[in-house]
Structure formats: structure tokens, C-alpha cells
Amino acid sequence: MKPDSDSLYRFVVEGCNVRGQLVYLDQSWRELASRHDYPPVVRRILGEAVSAAALLSATIKFDGALSIQASGDGGLRLLIAEATANGTLRGLARWKGELHDGRLTRLLGNGRLAITIDPGGNRERYQGIVELQSDGLSQSLGGYFSHSEQLPTRLWLAVEEQRVAGLLLQRVPEADKEKPWLDDDGTSADAWRQTVGYAETLNPTELLELSVPDLLARINGDRPVRLYRGEGWRFLCSCSREKVTEVLRALGRDNLDSLIEERRQVNVNCEFCNAEFSFDAVDVARVFVDDYHVLHATRH
Ligand SMILES: [Zn+2]
């Protein structure tokens, strides 16, 4: 196992307003991708979405989850990648037919790409629509964040069978006007352009294989970089019998009773992790008994 496996690293380029993150997903990626028999083109876009979700979630201070969702009428019907503030990931894709052209706009056809931020607690979710760019997911998401956060943001994503990797660079606002290197705005603009320029020369294999110090040296030249300790990531699905029970309750007693009559058992499968939740006649009755108690409790 590599020392940087399943880890996200934050870094700040000293003396100029550039910060960034590197993420490597190994075991977490393999577990996530092995849940379905994805064709290579779908697997690749799913890997990109998962590493992008981890990178983007780490740019926000929150307790909740960030998800990237895409849907369309092309071969790629649905794509979801979710990263939580606790360092857990899950994701899935649905597709149809044989897919060979991996370009995002071709895969999705007439499609839609969105980012949802669930801040956690009872706070309201926020969803933003991302303009699809034919160059791919990293360009589309970078463009969206540059616009919505007013921070120039660039992403590079690389996917292979065993590992996915991602690099995010952000040009941050000038917080302290007293610092000498900020007197001349040209200095930080140059640093940004240079770092992005070096990052552009990385090929996917280098992004996946270079050690963290080597990669940082490659994109920052001789500028000193402050590197923070790695944060661990893992595959974990947030599904539970309680959540499935809520969904069943929302379907209504009549619908469930007729399903039970027809099939004797209601099976709900979680597409993210393949967990199966079975409800027989007794379980279904209990779904609504609990409901009765809740109603009863709130009335008194
Ligand atoms: Zn699940």
C-alpha cells in the first residue's frame, strides 16, 4: 500500500495566493466501483466524479455532504458521486447499451449536471446547475466553482483500474494587504498562471503515480509549499433499514399491502452498496404501527 493511499492532502504555496488539494482513492475506489459491472467508459467518468466530489467537498467548511449528479438521455443515464465531511464516499452510474465515446457531452446527450451541497443538520440543501463543457467533467466543475465561488479553480482528474487521483488548484483572495508580495497584484497572478501551467503538463500517469512531494515540486518549482497531514477517505454507504422504512411509509399502506399480497415480501436494494432490505407482511405492518405511535405521541 502506498503511503498516500485513500488520502487527501491540502497544501498552500507560500508567498502567493495559491492553495490546493491532492486526493488519491484506492481501496475506497475499488470497493465503490466493484458494486456494478461498469463498462470502461462509465467506470472512468464515475472515477472522475468521485475524486472531484472528494476535492470539492474539502474546499467547503461544513458537516454535511457534497454530491455531483448528472443525468441525460445519452448512454449514461445517471451519475452520482457523494463525499461527506467525515471522509466517506459513495457513488453509482446507470447506463444503457454499448458506450465507446467517453466525452461527457456525448455520454449524457441532452443532459444536466448539478452539484448539491447538503450542509447537514436541518439546514437547507443548495443545488447549483453546472454548465456542461465538452472537454469533460474537470473543466465543467472548475468553470462552475470559478464562477459560483468567485475563486479561479482548476481540477485535474485521472482514473485507472486500481486508483483514482485528483488535483485541485484555487487562487484565493488577498486577505492581507500588508504582505509585501501582495502589493503588486501581478506577483500572485504570475504564481497562479505558472502553477496552472505546470499542472497542465502533468499526464494522468504522473498524477496517479508521482509521490506527493515530487508532484508538488513539479507544479510549484522552487516556491516553498506548506503541506498538511493527509486526511483519510473510505467507501461507506449511508443507507439503513430506518431510511428504507421511511421510504416505504411514504408509499402508503395500501400500496405496500398489495405488494405483499403479490410477492409475499418487499425487497429494497441499495444501488450504492448492493445492501438488500427485506420486509415481509409482519415487517410491513410494523412500519405502520410505528407510524401510529408517532402520530399518537404527537397528538397528546
Ligand atoms: Zn447502501
Side-chain angles (χ1 to χ4, degrees), residues 35 90 235-240 269-277:
R35 290 300 192 270
R90 62 178 191 166
F235 169 78
L236 185 75
C237 189
S238 55
C239 69
S240 67
N269 188 260
C270 173
E271 250 187 291
F272 285 102
C273 69
N274 287 350
E276 194 173 79
F277 302 93

